[in-house]
Amino acid sequence: MQMELRAMIVEVNNTFDERRIYFLKGSVSTEKGQEGIPAATTAGKFKDSWIKDFHVSPFNSRKGSYALSAQDPFSTQSGNMGEIDNTITLSSSKAHAKLVARIFSTQPSIDPITLGYWGRLRFIASWWWVGFVTFPRIIKEAGKLFFRKKLHVWFRPEVLEESLGRRATKDEIIIERTFRSFLRSLVESSNLNYSVKYISAIPSSRAEETFMPNSLSHDPIVLRISTPLFYARLAHSPHTSEYLSHEILTADNKNRTFYISHPQPFIQLLDERSTNNIFTHTDTPPKHLSAEEGSFYDRLPWRFLRWLRNHRHRPSSPQQDHTQQQPDNQIDIRQSGGFSHLDHFAMRHESREQAVRYRNVVTRILLGDILAFGHPEVFGAVGYVLRVFFSYLFVVAVKFFLVWALGERERRVRTCYQAEDEAWCENETFYG
């Protein structure tokens, strides 16, 4: 059976752990979203071009386009069946070629099944080191471009809806669990008949989940989180509903962390009265004591979190256009008792274990703004250094005690030999 290369899957990765997957059908498109125009085909060649919409290098913007020319490895016309020869060209938004990269076969292709055990071992031994030196090579070349060539640096924008964000941190995973429960309660307790299809930025067994109201619903509102950074920003926000509304109305594509299919209905769902239904719903009593109840040790960590909320407010988005429309439901954090809606929800509706995890994570994030320039992971490094330091002090103290104890025993033995009372000497040496 004669085979032919008809489509390709191209995966682009960057050093920020983000990915973009393109599906190429061998066509040329000039604008994003435009249907592909059949390319001028050449015997044994696969060609395609597409718009660039993914940030790869800090020395190139997200604008421009790619063009791919690949040799068909199944074609017999070129006489090089099974060989790879792909050339990709990056062009600027003004259609000027900026970068040309080529990958091609230097030897005949290898079938791993026919290699055998020793052949596979030799192959791995020849290439195992490449992955370890790739990142240092990137840093080296980036240093040349920045310090020697003085190239302009483009700050990394957030990924678009079609791309895949980075992997989430442990803190973001904990916040996501509480936000998922919050969103479910918001939909189920709302008087509006809106269902929400929630698509998380954290791959799991429940990456997609639809929350249904008690009565019949309209078309579902699709809420897709594009990057785990959304959950960290949510923890910074003093008012959960205001932050979500603000992101919908003001954030541009460079800073957007989530996408919504029906903005206005979702803003109605986030209305203050709808959000308050979560805390006044009689069918969902508090699972444990709030920050104003319980023992002193139960109240103290929540009161410290409230103090951080009242005295530390970090903007949810690093770049905000103040000329755009602002949401009408901006509420002072002090009007809600110093807690965000997500804080209230964690206190009253999450299990005690999850509430404590959420509280500790948010406290660490807010403290990171004050003490670690917005990098809470510094606390982990500091904690590790402190553990090593105190372990060293403990070892030194034990060593000092043993030296002192042995020295004291030796002194007593020496004193006994000089004493005239043998009974006292024996009692002092072995029982003293």
Side-chain angles (χ1 to χ4, degrees):
M1 181 180 64
Q2 180 64 33
M3 292 187 293
E4 180 184 0
L5 180 62
R6 301 296 298 272
M8 292 183 66
I9 297 176
V10 178
E11 179 177 329
V12 183
N13 295 263
N14 60 20
T15 54
F16 308 104
D17 195 27
E18 298 168 339
R19 293 176 294 162
R20 175 69 164 100
I21 299 176
Y22 300 97
F23 181 67
L24 309 181
K25 299 180 180 180
S27 60
V28 178
S29 60
T30 57
E31 296 182 2
K32 185 178 179 180
Q34 179 180 347
E35 291 295 333
I37 302 174
T41 58
T42 307
K45 284 289 185 179
F46 178 93
K47 294 184 178 181
D48 204 341
S49 65
W50 64 98
I51 300 299
K52 179 184 179 184
D53 58 2
F54 180 70
H55 180 78
V56 179
S57 168
F59 303 106
N60 290 294
S61 68
R62 196 159 60 182
K63 299 179 181 179
S65 62
Y66 292 108
L68 172 69
S69 177
Q71 175 181 297
D72 187 350
F74 303 108
S75 175
T76 57
Q77 300 181 16
S78 60
N80 298 317
M81 185 175 181
E83 295 187 3
I84 296 175
D85 190 352
N86 299 341
T87 301
I88 187 169
T89 304
L90 171 64
S91 301
S92 66
S93 56
K94 298 180 180 179
H96 298 306
K98 300 176 64 176
L99 178 67
V100 178
R102 182 187 177 206
I103 180 172
F104 56 94
S105 301
T106 57
Q107 296 179 2
S109 58
I110 300 174
D111 187 354
I113 299 179
T114 62
L115 281 179
Y117 177 79
W118 293 109
R120 297 174 194 173
L121 188 62
R122 284 194 299 269
F123 180 82
I124 295 175
S126 302
W127 293 96
W128 67 269
W129 57 273
V130 175
F132 292 98
V133 300
T134 298
F135 186 74
R137 285 175 172 175
I138 293 175
I139 298 299
K140 177 184 176 182
E141 298 302 324
K144 291 180 180 179
L145 295 176
F146 181 74
F147 293 106
R148 294 184 185 179
K149 303 298 182 179
K150 307 296 181 181
L151 291 186
H152 175 73
V153 174
W154 300 83
F155 290 100
R156 181 188 65 85
E158 297 303 327
V159 295
L160 297 178
E161 187 176 6
E162 299 83 4
S163 303
L164 301 176
R166 59 169 174 80
R167 283 171 288 188
T169 64
K170 294 181 179 179
D171 291 350
E172 290 165 344
I173 292 175
I174 292 175
I175 298 173
E176 190 275 339
R177 293 172 184 169
T178 298
F179 175 73
R180 181 189 293 266
S181 300
F182 171 82
L183 188 61
R184 180 188 298 108
S185 298
L186 179 65
V187 174
E188 294 176 353
S189 62
S190 174
N191 297 324
L192 303 175
N193 297 328
Y194 292 121
S195 61
V196 175
K197 181 180 181 181
Y198 170 65
I199 304 176
S200 173
I202 302 175
S204 64
S205 58
R206 295 190 304 162
E208 295 186 13
E209 188 173 359
T210 302
F211 308 123
M212 302 293 295
N214 294 326
S215 58
L216 295 178
S217 171
H218 304 283
D219 292 337
I221 302 172
V222 179
L223 173 63
R224 184 185 187 278
I225 313 301
S226 58
T227 170
L229 179 63
F230 166 82
Y231 306 109
R233 288 185 178 178
L234 197 65
H236 283 109
S237 175
H239 198 277
T240 305
S241 299
E242 178 191 346
Y243 163 70
L244 295 172
S245 301
H246 184 275
E247 283 282 301
I248 293 173
L249 295 175
T250 65
D252 58 13
N253 285 337
K254 292 183 179 181
N255 295 317
R256 188 177 295 277
T257 57
F258 70 91
Y259 292 84
I260 193 77
S261 62
H262 301 78
Q264 290 304 322
F266 190 70
I267 292 177
Q268 295 177 12
L269 192 63
L270 295 173
D271 183 80
E272 181 70 14
R273 290 169 297 177
S274 298
T275 309
N276 284 339
N277 286 341
I278 299 177
F279 311 110
T280 60
H281 198 46
T282 57
D283 294 336
T284 56
K287 291 189 176 181
H288 56 81
L289 298 176
S290 67
E292 300 300 334
E293 303 170 329
S295 66
F296 172 79
Y297 296 103
D298 290 332
R299 299 194 306 267
L300 184 60
W302 288 107
R303 288 186 174 182
F304 181 61
L305 174 58
R306 180 173 60 187
W307 182 87
L308 290 175
R309 290 284 191 197
N310 287 331
H311 294 83
R312 179 65 178 174
H313 174 63
R314 181 187 182 190
S316 299
S317 301
Q319 300 175 0
Q320 296 178 356
D321 186 358
H322 298 283
T323 62
Q324 297 181 3
Q325 180 184 0
Q326 301 293 328
D328 297 331
N329 60 337
Q330 292 187 1
I331 299 175
D332 192 341
I333 181 63
R334 295 172 180 83
Q335 297 179 8
S336 60
F339 294 108
S340 70
H341 279 150
L342 207 59
D343 297 339
H344 277 296
F345 180 84
M347 283 189 293
R348 299 183 61 85
H349 295 277
E350 290 283 67
S351 65
R352 180 177 293 274
E353 182 181 0
Q354 174 62 19
V356 170
R357 284 198 296 257
Y358 168 85
R359 181 196 65 205
N360 294 341
V361 165
V362 175
T363 301
R364 183 164 56 248
I365 290 175
L366 297 181
L367 277 176
D369 290 344
I370 301 175
L371 303 177
F373 305 100
H375 297 281
E377 59 272 9
V378 172
F379 290 116
V382 172
Y384 176 78
V385 172
L386 289 177
R387 286 193 295 270
V388 172
F389 175 72
F390 285 115
S391 298
Y392 173 76
L393 290 182
F394 176 76
V395 172
V396 171
V398 171
K399 180 180 178 181
F400 175 80
F401 174 77
L402 292 177
V403 171
W404 174 83
L406 292 175
E408 182 68 15
R409 182 176 180 83
E410 183 179 356
R411 183 190 64 80
R412 291 184 177 186
V413 171
R414 188 181 301 109
T415 303
C416 288
Y417 280 120
Q418 298 174 358
E420 296 180 356
D421 189 349
E422 296 182 359
W424 174 86
C425 179
E426 181 178 356
N427 182 70
E428 179 68 17
T429 303
F430 298 102
Y431 302 101

